[in-house]
Amino acid sequence: MDNHTKSFSSLLISLWFTALLILVEMVSCARQHRRSFLAKEADLVTNLPGQPDVSFKHYAGYVPVDKSNGRALFYWFFEAMDLPKEKPLVLWLNGGPGCSSVGYGATQEIGPFLADTNEKGLIFNPYAWNKEVNMLFLESPVGVGFSYSNTSSDYLNLDDHFAKKDAYTFLCNWFEKFPEHKGNEFYIAGESYAGIYVPELAELVYDNNEKNNDLSLHINLKGFLLGNPDISNPDDWRGWVDYAWSHAVISDETHRNINRLCNFSSDDVWNNDKCNEAIAEVDKQYNEIDIYSLYTSACKGDSAKSSYFASAQFKTNYHISSKRMPPRRLAGYDPCLDDYVKVYYNRADVQKALHASDGVNLKNWSICNMEIFHNWTYVVQSVLPIYQKLIAGGLRIWVYSGDTDGCIPVLGTRYSLNALGLPIKTAWRPWYHEKQVSGWVQEYDGLTFATFRGAGHTVPSFKPSSSLAFISAFVKGVPLSSSRVETN
């Protein structure tokens, strides 16, 4: 055999092997795609009791985050009402720590199905955020809602970093189940103690994107959005006290005593017994009203009677134990809505439809897990360094505040954001929706801060239409309306 013939034979063999490798890869990809499709379709929700008729699909179920410990997080995903493969994906987290994103975000605020006050089913939300984006609600960490671990020690080790790592693992595994959304623009949003969860998770995603050259591991993170968030302990607590005083909840004398006895420049504000005694007067006055919505009626139903927040233990131990208040809302158009949500998610047929149980062994679902709240280890005192890092990294960051929330008030948020020292890009101005002032907004170099006029702690439940306009502007990266005149 001459050299020419040998070369030709070698080329044919090489081409044959290349074709074989391509075929193997195609078969492997096809199998992986089929596994993803089957796993996703197994989570399709088809018979949710009381659900309004809709044209979009939604999925619910579990994603494992630690197979050796038997740890899995529960999610509920709503495709966008149109063009879901093109629309951005938003992950929503509620805080607490220990409160359910399904019970709050999905069913009381921004999901397409809201709790019906007749305690029998759901009603359609005309201002659902999946009009603009794909919405993914996550119950995090384990022990919240339907999320669980088969290893009891996991529940004793919960802290800010534990939650962050599990949420990241969840995302990676969720994208394997829903690969068609891997390339979508991705945003993380949340409220209250998610003010810690969200920047922590965003930083982890950002860092891993920077480290990994493998595009298959890349998550297309573009920014995050936070409402009435915990940001920085000293500024948040100082704002909490000043807001109570400026809104006539406490007296001048109480305010003076607190400022004299409490060191708000320290991360450990409550290590002073005299300070705790002065702060107790703020709690005493807030116990008379709804701290989450100063100007609406408090719940008089079962939630008010049985709630930990109404107990003597809460009133005595809240600040002394340095615990934070979870984002529990007992106000709004129906201040007892938590009761309706609890009834609905404890129905066996509802849990079965959501793939959260077999419909026989009914779980005791609660909107907030108080054991998690009591035992939480607060590792992070401030996320301002993360803000600085991710602003420098080019992520879009918007923060908003309902201005009638006394729990994490607008004043504390302003103190925290002012500590960043960002240059002002656009001066403080009103922003409009439906020809009315929805609130005020200030654009900094790298961050936008806005208020919602007359909204409490869970802003979308108070201002649903304005909130939908807000998320639309955020994902499009356009300024909030500066005119009463509406433009198409």
Side-chain angles (χ1 to χ4, degrees):
M1 184 181 294
D2 59 29
N3 290 335
H4 180 74
T5 304
K6 287 181 180 179
S7 297
F8 184 71
S9 298
S10 297
L11 178 60
L12 285 176
I13 293 171
S14 176
L15 290 173
W16 183 82
F17 271 115
T18 300
L20 181 61
L21 288 172
I22 291 173
L23 180 61
V24 169
E25 182 69 20
M26 288 174 64
V27 170
S28 175
C29 287
R31 285 175 176 171
Q32 183 177 353
H33 179 76
R34 178 170 172 76
R35 283 195 299 269
S36 297
F37 175 79
L38 292 175
K40 181 182 79 171
E41 290 306 302
D43 287 352
L44 181 66
V45 179
T46 56
N47 296 298
L48 184 62
Q51 176 197 307
D53 290 333
V54 293
S55 59
F56 58 85
K57 292 182 178 180
H58 58 112
Y59 303 81
Y62 290 99
V63 171
V65 293
D66 187 330
K67 290 185 178 179
S68 61
N69 281 16
R71 201 160 70 241
L73 297 183
F74 183 81
Y75 78 92
W76 197 355
F77 171 59
F78 299 90
E79 287 188 346
M81 293 185 187
D82 58 38
L83 304 175
K85 292 183 180 180
E86 300 174 20
K87 294 282 182 73
L89 171 66
V90 174
L91 171 70
W92 176 270
L93 298 169
N94 277 91
C99 293
S100 166
S101 300
V102 167
Y104 281 110
T107 322
Q108 298 191 40
E109 302 181 64
I110 59 177
F113 310 136
L114 301 182
D116 191 348
T117 55
N118 65 15
E119 301 186 29
K120 293 181 179 178
L122 303 168
I123 57 175
F124 181 71
N125 178 11
Y127 306 107
W129 282 15
N130 73 324
K131 278 193 168 186
E132 296 290 338
V133 296
N134 296 284
M135 283 302 309
L136 174 59
F137 296 92
L138 175 64
E139 293 198 306
S140 175
V142 290
V144 173
F146 295 119
S147 295
Y148 70 90
S149 175
N150 291 327
T151 304
S152 57
S153 60
D154 281 345
Y155 298 109
L156 303 177
N157 296 318
L158 297 179
D159 61 27
D160 304 316
H161 295 334
F162 188 107
K164 166 182 71 175
K165 292 173 184 175
D166 267 9
Y168 179 76
T169 303
F170 164 85
L171 277 177
C172 294
N173 293 340
W174 187 87
F175 277 121
E176 288 185 7
K177 186 178 284 195
F178 292 85
E180 67 272 24
H181 294 288
K182 189 70 181 288
N184 295 47
E185 289 189 353
F186 176 62
Y187 300 91
I188 313 174
E191 65 192 12
S192 199
Y193 197 73
I196 305 299
Y197 293 159
V198 169
E200 282 263 290
L201 176 58
E203 181 185 37
L204 184 56
V205 172
Y206 176 85
D207 287 346
N208 285 335
N209 282 347
E210 292 291 299
K211 286 187 293 187
N212 291 323
N213 293 323
D214 186 350
L215 291 179
S216 68
L217 301 176
H218 184 86
I219 296 175
N220 194 19
L221 178 67
K222 296 298 183 181
F224 65 81
L225 173 72
L226 289 169
N228 289 78
D230 283 282
I231 298 177
S232 174
N233 272 359
D235 297 310
D236 287 343
W237 287 119
R238 181 164 61 93
W240 185 76
V241 170
D242 286 354
Y243 183 89
W245 172 69
S246 65
H247 286 70
V249 176
I250 59 173
S251 68
D252 294 348
E253 291 77 15
T254 297
H255 189 239
R256 281 196 295 268
N257 278 340
I258 292 172
N259 282 327
R260 179 171 57 86
L261 298 169
C262 300
N263 179 12
F264 289 108
S265 63
S266 168
D267 286 340
D268 191 9
V269 176
W270 317 116
N271 63 355
N272 180 333
D273 288 342
K274 293 292 184 182
C275 170
N276 284 318
E277 291 173 10
I279 287 293
E281 180 63 23
V282 186
D283 279 334
K284 178 182 176 182
Q285 300 306 325
Y286 268 134
N287 284 332
E288 297 297 317
I289 59 173
D290 183 353
I291 190 173
Y292 303 95
S293 176
L294 265 62
Y295 306 120
T296 54
S297 299
C299 181
K300 301 299 182 183
D302 291 339
S303 287
K305 295 174 185 176
S306 61
S307 169
Y308 170 74
F309 309 106
S311 70
Q313 182 183 0
F314 171 73
K315 296 174 184 178
T316 303
N317 294 338
Y318 170 47
H319 282 300
I320 294 175
S321 63
S322 297
K323 297 295 186 182
R324 295 167 180 260
M325 194 175 297
R328 180 175 172 82
R329 181 182 69 84
L330 297 176
Y333 296 111
D334 186 337
C336 301
L337 204 56
D338 285 3
D339 290 338
Y340 308 138
V341 172
K342 183 176 181 180
V343 168
Y344 185 74
Y345 287 117
N346 274 298
R347 288 173 51 175
D349 55 349
V350 170
Q351 293 185 4
K352 184 176 182 180
L354 292 174
H355 314 115
S357 82
D358 57 13
V360 177
N361 299 318
L362 192 65
K363 301 177 182 180
N364 184 21
W365 185 94
S366 62
I367 198 162
C368 290
N369 184 327
M370 295 313 299
E371 288 187 15
I372 291 178
F373 175 69
H374 292 317
N375 297 322
W376 192 261
T377 301
Y378 295 92
V379 178
V380 178
Q381 302 299 320
S382 173
V383 289
L384 289 177
I386 298 178
Y387 276 62
Q388 292 171 324
K389 175 180 177 178
L390 298 186
I391 287 171
L395 294 191
R396 184 181 307 149
I397 300 174
W398 284 24
V399 178
Y400 63 90
S401 283
D403 63 11
T404 65
D405 175 28
C407 179
I408 304 180
V410 61
L411 207 51
T413 302
R414 293 177 81 171
Y415 288 164
S416 294
L417 296 181
N418 285 339
L420 288 170
L422 298 172
I424 295 173
K425 190 166 72 173
T426 304
W428 185 264
R429 64 167 177 85
W431 69 278
Y432 300 89
H433 180 62
E434 296 175 341
K435 301 182 180 180
Q436 296 293 328
V437 174
S438 282
W440 281 262
V441 59
Q442 184 154 287
E443 295 177 28
Y444 296 93
D445 188 5
L447 183 146
T448 294
F449 171 66
T451 70
F452 280 79
R453 187 167 64 97
H457 188 65
T458 54
V459 167
S461 61
F462 291 86
K463 302 291 180 180
S465 181
S466 295
S467 296
L468 180 60
F470 190 86
I471 185 65
S472 177
F474 170 71
V475 296
K476 292 173 183 175
V478 299
L480 295 168
S481 176
S482 59
S483 172
R484 290 185 190 272
V485 180
E486 297 180 359
T487 56
N488 294 324

